[in-house]
């Protein structure tokens, strides 16, 4: 079975995303996570760019990871020496080869560019390192010249060549033809690096592999210059799921890795992002949800499952929901619903959806309780009496909550990066060891304008068994609205747990 190598450039090209900068401690954590994920090569950075960049690459190169560590360098002795001194396993050199870039950037003759490339490769090989050569802007370079320079560096002993679509203008059929022609002309392994300016980075990378490329350059979540790079998770699962082409990626860590990069980069993953987005395995439509509850392959690709990538399947409530999914969600929470009451509950859910409201689990259960007359105040596991939050420019944000937890008085306190974080950490403390919870989603919308604006907070809370619950809180006090939403969610998770024990 064919295997393709994965070269991850999140720490180099990914960090070139406008507004993104990873401090050293983040870079170390990212490198360790990429190694855990199973990438073959980690491009750790551009050592000649700054002292900090040099130290970062050198630190990562000495972590003892299984992945090979690569350093980027221009075809300049200073850059190459910095890359060699960083102790990286591989040096990735590049020089412009397209007419427009030669004329407007490096202003050298084509013959001189070939000579510089050959000299650089020989210099790196003389130092016993793996060498990758990139013809920058390859997809806008005349094919004869591209073949000439790649053949010259191959003869000089280069280990692998990279074909970059630097400005994202390749299309899958044309890129396939280019890689196929180069594959027939060269003996060294071929690597590809695609940008996403026209949304074709993953498709171009996929086409290149079909044409004979041996390695793919990717970034987690597709971050990178301008519109980004080919997304690691999409490329890998396309190869695994649709072509049976393997990589060394441990796919069960894809969502975990995506969330780490989302957090460290500050770039939120859209819910509709393939493979790792919150909606990737979520179903609201009644027809879809009914089918998926019977057999997930009815309305999912089938060749991949949420578990394969570290995800979870979700049946979501909304105005498009059908009877089967509403009944299943209610029954899973311990509610017994006959057909007549189910119809009433569904009417209320659709009415809420028609008003443009996001229908949370809390909304569904609140509707069910009105119709069924089930949950009484005394059944709630946590009843909050008083909340005190301290914050200021010289005070670590601290929250103190007085509450009744399953009939017993309890006072808890916690700190956080801000008042909301501190308050939510205090709620986690209230829930205790028997109910370990984590906040997987937090969103706030202003309902009205002005400094006294009403805010609506949406949260998703997950327990240690993987059960999740969505809830909302609203009010002029953002901290209290957040606590209200999380307490609602925790109460229902605890109640569901209790009901399951009794059943």
């Amino acid at each position: 079975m064919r295997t393709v190598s994965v070269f991850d450039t999140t720490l180099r090209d990914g960090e070139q995303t406008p507004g993104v900068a990873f401090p050293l401690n983040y870079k170390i954590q990212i490198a360790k996570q990429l190694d855990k994920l199973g990438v073959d090569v980690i491009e750790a950075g551009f050592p000649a760019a700054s002292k900090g960049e040099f130290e970062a690459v050198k630190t990562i190169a000495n972590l003892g990871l299984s992945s090979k560590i690569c350093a980027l360098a221009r075809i300049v002795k200073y850059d190459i020496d910095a890359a060699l001194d960083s102790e990286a396993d591989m040096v990735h050199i590049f020089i412009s080869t397209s007419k427009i870039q030669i004329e407007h950037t490096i202003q050298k003759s084509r013959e001189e560019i070939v000579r510089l490339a050959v000299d650089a490769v020989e210099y790196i090989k003389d130092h016993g390192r793996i060498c990758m050569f990139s013809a920058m802007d390859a997809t806008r370079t005349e094919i004869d010249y591209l073949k000439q320079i790649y053949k010259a560096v191959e003869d000089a002993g280069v280990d692998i060549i990279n074909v970059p679509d630097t400005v994202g203008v390749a299309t899958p059929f044309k890129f396939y033809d280019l890689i196929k022609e180069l594959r027939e002309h060269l003996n060294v392994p071929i690597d590809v690096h695609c940008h996403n300016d026209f949304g074709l980075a993953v498709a171009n990378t996929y086409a290149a592999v079909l044409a004979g490329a041996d390695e793919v350059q990717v970034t987690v979540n597709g971050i990178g210059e301008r519109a980004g790079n080919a997304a690691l998770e999409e490329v890998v699962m396309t190869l695994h799921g649709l072509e049976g082409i393997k990589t060394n990626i441990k796919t069960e860590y894809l969502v975990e890795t995506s969330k780490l990069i989302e957090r460290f980069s500050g770039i939120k993953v859209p819910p509709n992002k393939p493979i790792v987005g919150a909606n990737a395995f979520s179903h609201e439509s009644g027809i879809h949800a009914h089918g998926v509850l019977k057999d997930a392959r009815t309305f999912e690709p089938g060749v991949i499952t949420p578990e394969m990538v570290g995800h979870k399947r979700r049946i979501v409530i909304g105005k498009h929901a059908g009877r089967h999914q509403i009944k299943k969600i209610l029954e899973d929470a311990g509610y017994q619903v006959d057909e007549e009451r189910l119809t009433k509950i569904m009417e209320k859910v659709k009415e809420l959806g028609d008003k443009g409201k996001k229908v949370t689990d809390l909304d569904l259960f609140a509707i069910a309780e009105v119709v069924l007359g089930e949950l009484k105040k005394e059944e709630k596991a946590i009843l909050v009496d008083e909340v005190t939050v301290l914050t200021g420019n010289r005070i670590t944000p601290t929250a103190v909550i007085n509450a009744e937890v399953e009939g017993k008085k309890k006072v808890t306190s916690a700190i956080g990066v801000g008042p909301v974080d501190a308050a939510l950490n205090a709620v986690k403390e209230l829930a205790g060891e028997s109910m370990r919870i984590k906040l997987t989603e937090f969103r706030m919308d202003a309902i009205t304008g002005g400094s006294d604006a009403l805010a609506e907070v949406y949260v998703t809370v997950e327990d240690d068994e993987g059960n999740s619950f969505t809830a909302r809180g609203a009010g002029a006090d953002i901290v209290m609205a957040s606590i209200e939403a999380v307490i609602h969610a925790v109460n229902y998770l605890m109640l569901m747990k209790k009901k399951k024990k009794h059943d």
Side-chain angles (χ1 to χ4, degrees), residues 176-389:
Y176 177 95
D177 290 341
L178 173 62
I179 300 304
K180 192 168 188 298
E181 189 166 348
L182 291 172
R183 178 70 288 157
E184 290 167 357
H185 183 70
L186 302 165
N187 295 311
V188 291
I190 294 175
D191 168 277
V192 293
H193 177 107
C194 297
H195 277 269
N196 204 38
D197 297 73
F198 286 88
L200 294 171
V202 171
N204 286 332
T205 304
Y206 168 58
V209 170
L210 296 186
D214 306 281
E215 184 170 89
V216 293
Q217 289 200 12
V218 291
T219 61
V220 179
N221 297 339
I223 65 172
E225 287 272 8
R226 303 182 312 279
N229 291 51
L232 182 152
E233 56 282 355
E234 294 175 34
V235 169
V236 166
M237 294 315 296
T238 297
L239 297 179
H240 285 213
L242 300 181
E243 292 295 336
I245 296 171
K246 296 301 176 187
T247 69
N248 292 317
I249 296 298
K250 300 176 183 72
T251 61
E252 64 271 23
Y253 299 126
L254 284 171
V255 169
E256 178 183 296
T257 307
S258 170
K259 286 182 177 177
L260 180 79
I261 299 303
E262 178 183 45
R263 192 164 76 251
F264 285 177
S265 68
I267 298 173
K268 190 154 180 63
V269 172
N272 62 332
K273 174 111 169 53
I275 311 302
V276 295
N279 291 349
F281 296 93
S282 296
H283 305 272
E284 182 187 316
S285 162
I287 296 168
H288 285 224
H290 185 200
V292 166
L293 289 170
K294 294 271 187 181
D295 187 330
R297 292 171 300 176
T298 53
F299 286 99
E300 286 179 8
V303 289
I304 60 170
T305 65
E307 293 75 22
M308 275 184 196
V309 299
H311 225 317
K312 289 188 177 73
R313 182 175 293 108
R314 292 193 307 150
I315 304 300
V316 181
I317 307 154
K319 70 174 184 177
H320 303 107
R323 298 178 71 83
H324 290 89
Q325 74 204 81
I326 295 291
K327 190 173 184 179
K328 176 79 165 58
I329 292 167
L330 290 171
E331 286 179 349
D332 284 348
Y335 294 92
Q336 299 303 314
V337 191
D338 58 35
E339 291 303 309
E340 184 182 345
R341 289 177 175 177
L342 180 60
T343 299
K344 288 181 182 177
I345 291 168
M346 283 195 63
E347 285 172 358
K348 295 289 185 184
V349 167
K350 289 179 184 291
E351 186 181 314
L352 202 59
D354 282 336
K355 290 176 180 175
K357 290 281 187 182
K358 176 182 175 182
V359 185
T360 67
D361 294 329
L362 178 65
D363 296 322
L364 173 62
F365 292 172
I367 290 166
E369 285 150 19
V370 170
V371 174
L372 301 172
E374 284 206 7
L375 187 67
K376 298 179 179 63
K377 182 182 176 184
E378 57 269 22
E379 284 185 280
K380 292 182 179 176
I382 300 175
L383 291 169
V384 175
D385 292 330
E386 185 182 6
V387 178
T388 304
V389 180

Side-chain angles (χ1 to χ4, degrees), residues 13-284:
D13 205 333
E15 196 186 24
Q16 289 174 209
T17 304
V20 172
F22 299 125
L24 180 59
N25 61 323
Y26 280 15
K27 290 189 177 189
I28 291 169
Q29 288 184 67
I30 290 168
K32 288 179 177 178
Q33 182 66 30
L34 293 172
D35 187 59
K36 177 183 177 182
L37 184 64
V39 305
D40 299 281
V41 184
I42 298 170
E43 190 166 43
F46 195 164
S50 69
K51 286 182 181 179
E53 190 76 351
F54 175 84
E55 288 302 324
V57 176
K58 189 169 184 176
T59 300
I60 292 167
N62 285 284
L63 288 175
L65 304 179
S66 298
S67 305
K68 287 186 178 67
I69 306 303
C70 179
L72 185 71
R74 294 169 298 176
I75 297 184
V76 175
K77 189 174 183 296
Y78 175 82
D79 281 25
I80 296 171
D81 284 341
L84 293 169
D85 291 343
S86 74
E87 301 176 26
D89 305 298
M90 176 190 289
V91 180
H92 175 194
I93 53 173
F94 67 95
I95 192 166
S96 298
T97 56
S98 68
K99 182 180 178 182
I100 189 169
Q101 290 200 1
I102 290 172
E103 288 178 358
H104 296 284
T105 58
I106 58 175
Q107 297 174 333
K108 295 182 186 297
S109 71
R110 282 166 168 72
E111 293 73 22
E112 190 178 2
I113 290 169
V114 173
R115 181 179 59 76
L116 287 170
V118 167
D119 289 348
V121 170
E122 290 176 344
Y123 185 68
I124 293 164
K125 293 310 296 176
D126 286 345
H127 284 79
R129 303 295 172 85
I130 301 166
C131 180
M132 171 186 278
F133 172 77
S134 286
M136 190 156 73
D137 207 12
T139 50
R140 293 194 299 180
T141 301
E142 297 92 332
I143 185 64
D144 290 341
Y145 182 58
L146 196 60
K147 288 161 105 174
Q148 179 192 341
I149 195 166
Y150 281 144
K151 193 63 180 172
V153 294
E154 179 180 78
D155 293 342
V158 81
D159 296 285
I160 184 167
I161 63 140
N162 170 243
V163 184
D165 182 25
T166 305
V167 294
V169 293
T171 56
F173 297 113
K174 288 179 181 177
F175 203 51
Y176 177 95
D177 290 341
L178 173 62
I179 300 304
K180 192 168 188 298
E181 189 166 348
L182 291 172
R183 178 70 288 157
E184 290 167 357
H185 183 70
L186 302 165
N187 295 311
V188 291
I190 294 175
D191 168 277
V192 293
H193 177 107
C194 297
H195 277 269
N196 204 38
D197 297 73
F198 286 88
L200 294 171
V202 171
N204 286 332
T205 304
Y206 168 58
V209 170
L210 296 186
D214 306 281
E215 184 170 89
V216 293
Q217 289 200 12
V218 291
T219 61
V220 179
N221 297 339
I223 65 172
E225 287 272 8
R226 303 182 312 279
N229 291 51
L232 182 152
E233 56 282 355
E234 294 175 34
V235 169
V236 166
M237 294 315 296
T238 297
L239 297 179
H240 285 213
L242 300 181
E243 292 295 336
I245 296 171
K246 296 301 176 187
T247 69
N248 292 317
I249 296 298
K250 300 176 183 72
T251 61
E252 64 271 23
Y253 299 126
L254 284 171
V255 169
E256 178 183 296
T257 307
S258 170
K259 286 182 177 177
L260 180 79
I261 299 303
E262 178 183 45
R263 192 164 76 251
F264 285 177
S265 68
I267 298 173
K268 190 154 180 63
V269 172
N272 62 332
K273 174 111 169 53
I275 311 302
V276 295
N279 291 349
F281 296 93
S282 296
H283 305 272
E284 182 187 316

